[in-house]
Amino acid sequence: MLRFLASRILTMILTALCLTFIVFFLTNLGPNLEKVAKSELGARITDAEVESWLTRNGYMQPVVLRYGEWLGVVPGFTHEADDGAVTGRCIDAETPAEVAPTFCGVLQGDWGYSTVFRRDVSEIVARGLGLTGKLMFWVMLVMVPGALLIGVLAGMREGSRTDRTLSTLSIVTTATPEYVSGVVFITVFASSAVGLKWLNGSATSAMDDITFANFTLPVLTIALYGMGYIARMTRASMTEVMTAQYIRTARLKGVSFPNIVMKHALRNALIAPFTVIMLQFPWLLNGVVIVETLFNYKGFGWTLVEAAGNNDIELLLGVSVVSVLVVLITQLISDIGYVYLNPRIRIS
Amino acid sequence: MDPLSWTGAAGAILNPLLAATTLAFVVSIVSMTVLSFFTPAHTLQSNPDGSLVQQGGIYGLSEIASKYTLFALLAVLVAYIVAGVVMPYGNAGILGAISKQFTPVWIALVITFALSITFKRRLGIYGKLFDNIVGMVGFGLVMFWVFTAVFVGVFDMIATHDPLSQLSGLKNKVPGVPVPGAEDMAPGSHYLLGGDNLARDVFSRMIHGSWIVIQIAPLATMFAFMVGITLGLPAGYFGGRFDTALSFLANLILAFPVILLFYLLVTPEMVETGIPTYMAAVLFIFPLVFFAVLLNSRYHTQPSIRTPLLVVVLGAVGWIYLSLISQPGTVFNFMPGALDLFDIPGGILVVFVSVVFVNSPTIYRIVRGLAMDIKTRDYVAAAQTRGEGSWYIMLWEILPNARGPLIVDFCLRIGYATILLGTLGFFGLGLPPESPDWGSTINAGRGLLSIYPHPALVPAIALLSMVLGLNLLADGLREESLKD
C-alpha cells in the first residue's frame, strides 16, 4: 500500500509540475506580455518601450528560468537601474531590496498580485474557493442521494419499464449541459415575462446569505448534469449485483424483495459509484464555471473567467494551480478509496 | 397583419387533448416508479390448457398504462405536426407554421424510416437499430437535425429570414410577431420565434446554427478518433515504454480542466502566436498516417496494387491536409492560391483544433483498453503464427473487432463535441459573435434572459434535442450490439 501511495503521489507531483509549466508557458507568450506592458504603460507606447519595460521587469528571461522563479526554486529576478535603484520580483514598496527574500514563488506562499482586482492572488483565490465550496456542498447534497436513488431503483429490476424510464431520464440529464438547463430553469422559474417567478435568476445575493430562492437554481443546474452519469453507473453496478449468486440464494430462502435490495444488494452495489463520484470533480469544475458565470455568483469559476478574459496572468496561474491540484487530488482519493473499499483488488 | 398565436385554430381541439394525455402519462409514470419498489416481480401462471399467463398485478397495470399513454401523447404531438403541414399558413399558429417550414425534413425523415424499416434485416447493425424504440427515437432526432442542416446549408430552404439581417422594430419581440410591411399570410411574414436583441429572426438563426454544428462536431470527432486509434492501438498492442509515455501524456491532458484549456488556447493572442496552427499541423497528420499504414499493411505483399492505391489516396488526403493547414496570415502560408482548396477562418480552425485536442486522449484510452483486451484472443494468435506484421494485426484484426464499442462511443462523443462547441460559444470564444451557432446565440441571449427568454431558450432546446438524440442513439446501438 505504501509503495502504491508513493508512486501515485510521485506521478501526481510530476503531472502537476508539467501542467503548471504548460499554463505558465501559454500565459506568458509574447503577445500576452505585450498586452501586459501596454496595460501598465498605456496603449500608445512604441515597441522599443515595450521591450525595455519587459527587460526591466524580468519578462525577457528564458521561460524555464521564469517558471522556476514563479515556483520559488530559482532566486527571484532583480534589476539594477542606472541610478542604482534595485527592483525585482521579490521587491515591492513594503519589502525594500535589503530585506527582500531571495526566493519568492508559489512554494513560499507568494502567489503574486492580481492586476484586475488590485489585490493579492491568494486572497482572491481563497475567497472564491470558499464561495464555490458552499455551492459544491449543496450540489453534492442534492446530486449524490438523488443519483443513487435513481440508479438503485432502475438497477434492481433490469429491463423493467421502471428501469427504462429512469435510464432514459438519466440520459436526458447527461444530454443537458449546464448552459442549457440553466437557461431553461431561469425561463421557467425566474423569468419576469413568462415564468412562475418562484425563484431568483441571479445568485449574487447568495454570496452573503444563502436562501432557498437564490440558491436552488444554480445548485440544481450543476447537480442535474452530473446526476445522470452517476445514476447510470449505479444502475450498472446494481444490475451486476442483482444477478449474483447470493441474491438468488436470498430469494430462494424467501426473503422479501425490498429486504433483498436494502440489506443484501445495496452495500455491494455502492462501491463502484464512489469512484465515479470522485472522478466527477473535474466535470463539476466545468459546470461551476458555467453556472457561476450564468448566475453571476462570484466564486472560483467566475474568478477564472475574469482572470482569463482580462489577461490577468498571475491570477490565472493561481487559479490554474488550484484547479489542477483539485483534479489530481480527487483522482488520488478515488484510486485509494477504490482499493480500500474493494477487498478483491490486490495491489502488486 | 395580426400576430400569430401559438397553436391557432388547430389548438382548440389539440390543446385540451395534449393536456389530458400529458397528465395521464405523468401520473402513470410516477405511479409505476413508486409501485416498482413495493410490489413483487412479475409471475407466470400456467393454465390447464398449457398456455402461460403473465400476472402483472397493479404494477403490471401501471406498466401497461404508461405504455399506452405514451403512445397517445406521441399521437397528439404528431397531430400538431400534421395539422401544421396540411392547414394553410397561419391557421395552425406558430407551431403549425414552423411545422410547415420543416416540410422537406418531414418528407426526408419519413422516406428514411420507411426504407430502413423495410430493409432492416439486410442492413446489419444499422438495421437492428430499428428494433429498438429508444434507438429509433434517437436516430430520428439526429436525422432531423442532419436533414435540417443540409436543407438550410446546401439548398437554403426552411429558414424564413437571413440569419444576420436586422428588421427595425422587431427587437426582442415575442414569438409570432408580424414583420412590418408584410401584406399576405405567407412564410416570411412573421418572426416565428420572435426577434433577438439585435432584431434578427430567432427561428432562422437557430436553423442556420444547425449547419455550423453539423459541420464541425462530427468532423472534429472523426479527427479525434483517427488520433486516438493511431496512437491507442500500438500503445495497447505493444505496451512498454511507448504505452507509459503516451498514457502519461493522455492523463496530463485529461487532468486539465476543459474550460481553462479553452481559455488558454482560444484567444486572439494565441492565434497570433501560431500555436493552434502548429497543433493543427500535428493533429491533422494522423489521418494521413492512419490511411498510409492501413493500406500499406494490407497490400504490401502486392506492390502492383499497393503503389497506385497509396499514391492516389495519400495524394488526395495529403492535398487536403496541406490546404487545411496552409492559411494566409498564419505561420503556414506556403501554398499558392490556385492549389489551396479551401481556407478555414482562424477562429473556426482553433475551435476545431481544441475540440479534437480535448477529445483524443479519452478515445486513446478506450482504444488502448480494447486493444489490450483483444490482443489475447485466438485469432490474433493465429495471425501472429501466420507471420502477419504487427500493423496488419492491429488494423485488420483488432480494430474491426473493436468496432462495436467504438461506434457507440462515436455517437456519444459527437454529442459531447456539440456540448463543447456550445461551451465555447457560451463564453464567446473562437467563433465570431454574430455567428448563428447555438452556443453563441445562447451567450448573446443570456444578458436579458429573465425579461426576454426566447432568444436564448430556442437554441438551448435545439442543442438539447440534438445531444439527446445522439445519446439515445448510442444507447440503442449499445443495447442492440449487446444482444449478439
Side-chain angles (χ1 to χ4, degrees):
Chain A
M1 189 72 189
L2 265 179
R3 275 194 62 179
F4 166 78
L5 252 179
S7 80
R8 268 309 153 116
I9 291 175
L10 216 67
T11 324
M12 191 186 109
I13 292 173
L14 190 61
T15 316
L17 284 178
C18 289
L19 285 178
T20 45
F21 180 71
I22 294 171
V23 178
F24 190 86
F25 178 74
L26 289 178
T27 45
N28 281 276
L29 284 169
N32 286 331
L33 293 179
E34 204 174 301
K35 234 164 93 176
V36 171
K38 284 185 175 163
S39 71
E40 290 293 314
L41 299 178
R44 284 160 178 260
I45 55 173
T46 60
D47 287 354
E49 278 174 307
V50 168
E51 196 154 318
S52 89
W53 187 85
L54 290 179
T55 318
R56 253 185 297 137
N57 287 284
Y59 286 114
M60 295 305 262
Q61 304 170 81
V63 71
V64 180
L65 205 65
R66 293 190 40 232
Y67 175 68
E69 287 176 14
W70 172 79
L71 205 62
V73 293
V74 174
F77 167 83
T78 51
H79 173 83
E80 199 172 333
D82 299 335
D83 58 357
V86 180
T87 54
R89 199 188 138 76
C90 308
I91 302 164
D92 57 25
E94 290 151 33
T95 46
E98 297 80 46
V99 294
T102 328
F103 300 97
C104 56
V106 172
L107 293 178
Q108 282 80 25
D110 187 346
W111 290 58
Y113 188 73
S114 159
T115 53
V116 176
F117 298 99
R118 302 278 163 205
R119 265 186 293 159
D120 275 340
V121 168
S122 44
E123 192 186 319
I124 302 168
V125 169
R127 183 169 171 272
L129 275 180
L131 287 172
T132 301
K134 274 196 254 175
L135 183 64
M136 293 307 276
F137 171 75
W138 287 102
V139 168
M140 285 293 170
L141 213 61
V142 174
M143 182 172 78
V144 173
L148 293 182
L149 185 71
I150 294 178
V152 168
L153 277 180
M156 66 188 190
R157 283 199 189 124
E158 195 187 0
S160 71
R161 199 155 276 130
T162 315
D163 176 21
R164 285 171 172 279
T165 314
L166 290 178
S167 297
T168 314
L169 194 76
S170 22
I171 294 177
V172 174
T173 69
T174 42
T176 319
E178 290 90 352
Y179 50 89
V180 169
S181 48
V183 164
V184 173
F185 282 150
I186 290 181
T187 310
V188 173
F189 294 111
S191 165
S192 57
V194 290
L196 301 164
K197 287 176 229 168
W198 289 348
L199 303 165
N200 285 6
S202 151
T204 315
S205 56
M207 288 190 290
D208 307 316
D209 173 36
I210 293 176
T211 62
F212 182 77
N214 63 20
F215 221 46
T216 311
L217 290 185
V219 168
L220 214 57
T221 307
I222 303 182
L224 204 67
Y225 187 50
M227 202 186 246
Y229 188 65
I230 300 179
R232 295 183 78 178
M233 291 297 147
T234 315
R235 175 192 172 270
S237 139
M238 187 74 188
T239 50
E240 200 188 314
V241 169
M242 287 305 278
T243 50
Q245 293 287 338
Y246 70 93
I247 296 291
R248 202 167 69 174
T249 313
R251 239 181 225 200
L252 292 176
K253 275 195 318 194
V255 182
S256 75
F257 189 72
N259 252 339
I260 291 178
V261 173
M262 299 303 291
K263 292 200 175 137
H264 295 75
L266 212 52
R267 249 196 237 173
N268 288 307
L270 292 185
I271 295 175
F274 169 78
T275 19
V276 180
I277 292 169
M278 292 315 287
L279 290 177
Q280 279 284 307
F281 271 94
W283 298 91
L284 288 176
L285 201 68
N286 258 347
V288 163
V289 177
I290 294 173
V291 165
E292 288 184 358
T293 313
L294 187 63
F295 290 92
N296 205 13
Y297 182 77
K298 297 187 172 63
F300 186 71
W302 182 85
T303 314
L304 193 159
V305 173
E306 287 297 303
N310 294 306
N311 197 35
D312 190 342
I313 295 181
E314 303 224 299
L315 181 58
L316 188 57
L317 277 169
V319 169
S320 317
V321 172
V322 172
S323 50
V324 163
L325 282 183
V326 167
V327 171
L328 291 177
I329 289 172
T330 47
Q331 278 179 1
L332 187 71
I333 295 177
S334 108
D335 280 352
I336 297 171
Y338 192 66
V339 171
Y340 184 74
L341 285 176
N342 195 340
R344 276 175 294 187
I345 292 195
R346 294 268 170 272
I347 317 146
S348 53
Chain B
M1 180 82 77
D2 298 327
L4 290 179
S5 66
W6 275 104
T7 48
I13 311 158
L14 290 174
N15 287 354
L17 268 180
L18 181 72
T21 45
T22 311
L23 188 71
F25 179 63
V26 170
V27 166
S28 66
I29 287 286
V30 169
S31 64
M32 179 183 80
T33 312
V34 173
L35 282 173
S36 74
F37 203 68
F38 299 107
T39 52
H42 285 196
T43 47
L44 291 176
Q45 183 195 351
S46 55
N47 294 332
D49 60 354
S51 62
L52 281 174
V53 171
Q54 197 177 33
Q55 293 206 314
I58 185 157
Y59 173 63
L61 203 67
S62 70
E63 271 198 343
I64 295 168
S66 73
K67 183 175 166 187
Y68 285 107
T69 44
L70 176 66
F71 285 153
L73 189 64
L74 290 178
V76 175
L77 293 179
V78 169
Y80 273 106
I81 293 171
V82 173
V85 175
V86 176
M87 288 164 85
Y89 178 88
N91 282 15
I94 298 171
L95 289 180
I98 290 174
S99 161
K100 201 181 234 357
Q101 285 306 114
F102 277 118
T103 310
V105 176
W106 303 134
I107 296 171
L109 272 182
V110 167
I111 293 174
T112 314
F113 269 81
L115 283 179
S116 306
I117 291 175
T118 318
F119 298 110
K120 69 176 173 185
R121 294 284 161 251
R122 293 189 225 158
L123 290 171
I125 178 80
Y126 169 75
K128 278 196 187 146
L129 193 64
F130 292 88
D131 293 332
N132 187 303
I133 300 251
V134 170
M136 262 159 77
V137 172
F139 183 72
L141 279 172
V142 173
M143 287 322 282
F144 173 82
W145 285 113
V146 171
F147 285 134
T148 306
V150 169
F151 280 125
V152 74
V154 182
F155 303 109
D156 202 16
M157 293 155 91
I158 300 175
T160 50
H161 293 83
D162 184 77
L164 297 178
S165 69
Q166 307 172 343
L167 293 181
S168 63
L170 294 181
K171 184 176 166 186
N172 288 328
K173 283 286 182 284
V174 293
V177 64
V179 167
E183 292 301 321
D184 39 79
M185 296 285 264
S189 63
H190 295 84
Y191 268 10
L192 290 174
L193 291 174
D196 67 3
N197 61 350
L198 291 172
R200 297 169 296 196
D201 183 22
V202 171
F203 174 72
S204 301
R205 283 178 70 74
M206 182 265 286
I207 300 294
H208 277 277
S210 71
W211 179 230
I212 297 179
V213 174
I214 291 283
Q215 275 178 305
I216 297 181
L219 207 61
T221 314
M222 213 134 78
F223 272 101
F225 262 81
M226 297 273 187
V227 177
I229 289 173
T230 318
L231 293 177
L233 279 178
Y237 186 73
F238 294 123
R241 290 261 169 78
F242 180 71
D243 177 29
T244 317
L246 271 183
S247 296
F248 179 73
L249 208 65
N251 287 338
L252 209 62
I253 302 172
L254 285 175
F256 226 108
V258 177
I259 296 214
L260 185 61
L261 198 67
F262 281 165
Y263 259 114
L264 292 176
L265 282 182
V266 193
T267 54
E269 290 85 41
M270 199 58 67
V271 178
E272 204 179 307
T273 57
I275 285 183
T277 323
Y278 290 123
M279 282 172 71
V282 173
L283 287 177
F284 294 165
I285 207 154
F286 280 100
L288 207 66
V289 175
F290 178 78
F291 282 117
V293 178
L294 183 79
L295 295 174
N296 188 47
S297 63
R298 176 85 185 194
Y299 293 110
H300 68 104
T301 48
Q302 300 148 278
S304 58
I305 303 178
R306 192 263 315 253
T307 313
L309 194 67
L310 272 185
V311 167
V312 170
V313 171
L314 289 191
V317 181
W319 193 10
I320 295 175
Y321 171 72
L322 289 177
S323 27
L324 197 66
I325 61 165
S326 160
Q327 312 289 344
T330 62
V331 277
F332 292 124
N333 188 15
F334 48 82
M335 295 265 280
L339 284 177
D340 205 343
L341 290 176
F342 44 82
D343 281 322
I344 300 174
I348 307 256
L349 185 77
V350 67
V351 165
F352 198 84
V353 168
S354 6
V355 174
V356 174
F357 188 70
V358 168
N359 274 315
S360 12
T362 327
I363 299 160
Y364 160 83
R365 291 232 291 217
I366 296 170
V367 174
R368 172 177 166 272
L370 287 169
M372 282 169 92
D373 176 32
I374 294 177
K375 77 172 177 190
T376 56
R377 303 280 168 89
D378 286 345
Y379 50 78
V380 174
Q384 282 164 340
T385 322
R386 270 203 318 271
E388 302 284 6
S390 313
W391 280 103
Y392 177 87
I393 295 175
M394 281 183 242
L395 288 166
W396 293 94
E397 300 280 350
I398 294 180
L399 188 59
N401 286 295
R403 69 182 185 282
L406 287 184
I407 292 173
V408 171
D409 191 67
F410 187 69
C411 293
L412 283 178
R413 215 139 279 285
I414 296 178
Y416 184 56
T418 313
I419 293 182
L420 284 182
L421 265 182
T423 311
L424 281 169
F426 180 79
F427 286 109
L429 297 168
L431 297 161
E434 76 277 2
S435 154
D437 76 287
W438 297 334
S440 308
T441 350
I442 296 175
N443 183 33
R446 77 184 154 99
L448 294 171
L449 193 56
S450 51
I451 314 167
Y452 306 112
H454 59 273
L457 193 61
V458 171
I461 288 173
L463 192 138
L464 168 61
S465 65
M466 176 157 148
V467 179
L468 179 62
L470 285 161
N471 278 275
L472 292 177
L473 177 64
D475 202 58
L477 281 173
R478 181 189 296 130
E479 216 165 271
E480 289 303 315
S481 65
L482 281 181
K483 277 186 188 164
D484 289 343

